[in-house]
Amino acid sequence: MKEILAVVRMKKTGATKKALVAAGVAGFTAVKVLGRGNLVTDPKAIEECKEKLLSMGMDEFSEAGDTEKMVTSFLDGSRFFPRRLFTILVHDDDVPRIIEAIAGANRTGYGIGDGIGDGTIFVMPVSDAVRVRTGEAGEAAIW
């Protein structure tokens, strides 16, 4: 048995849920989390991203200083961002299929380069599981 932890963009929650259901996952848990990923260090790429984000974030209701502060805190890593954490228990043989379903639903190509900020997937071993309702244990308890 394996536990898959997938950290995804909040806007990708619905797509991830649909992908998991389509992949045949019987159950999973999703919670709101805060975090940040790797920082981009290329000054040219940072400036391009900053210009793009500032142009996207401005409207007649936005304060220029507030928007710039938010964009800067995003780029320098001083700000956490809301994400969704999915937890899925799967049979060992199903891991590649479930990972591909999650990755496919979350691959955007947004940001600096392809897919920066699209999320992270972790796979860990699970020694046992017990279904409370039936008392089933091990592999029988997860699907």
Side-chain angles (χ1 to χ4, degrees):
M1 284 183 294
K2 301 286 189 223
E3 177 183 33
I4 298 174
L5 297 175
V7 181
V8 303
R9 294 173 186 256
M10 291 296 284
K11 290 184 177 183
K12 290 294 190 169
T13 300
T16 303
K17 179 181 132 183
K18 287 178 185 174
L20 290 170
V21 170
V25 175
F28 49 87
T29 303
V31 295
K32 292 180 182 177
V33 295
L34 295 173
R36 70 166 193 84
N38 289 335
L39 296 179
V40 177
T41 57
D42 177 17
K44 182 180 177 192
I46 291 171
E47 191 57 37
E48 288 174 9
C49 186
K50 185 174 183 176
E51 289 174 21
K52 182 178 177 182
L53 290 172
L54 284 172
S55 69
M56 291 169 47
M58 291 305 298
D59 59 27
E60 64 271 15
F61 304 108
S62 300
E63 295 285 335
D66 291 343
T67 301
E68 185 163 0
K69 183 177 178 182
M70 184 181 296
V71 167
T72 300
S73 67
F74 168 70
L75 294 172
D76 71 11
S78 62
R79 181 170 183 219
F80 282 126
F81 286 89
R83 295 287 186 249
R84 186 72 70 177
L85 173 66
F86 283 84
T87 303
I88 310 110
L89 292 180
V90 301
H91 299 288
D92 291 357
D93 294 343
D94 295 322
V95 170
R97 181 172 50 83
I98 303 304
I99 288 175
E100 184 50 42
I102 295 167
N106 287 280
R107 202 172 286 122
T108 64
Y110 292 165
I112 306 164
D114 289 329
I116 293 196
D118 285 350
T120 307
I121 300 170
F122 304 95
V123 180
M124 295 170 288
V126 174
S127 62
D128 201 5
V130 177
R131 186 178 310 229
V132 174
R133 179 177 47 86
T134 64
E136 293 169 293
E139 297 280 330
I142 63 174
W143 276 17

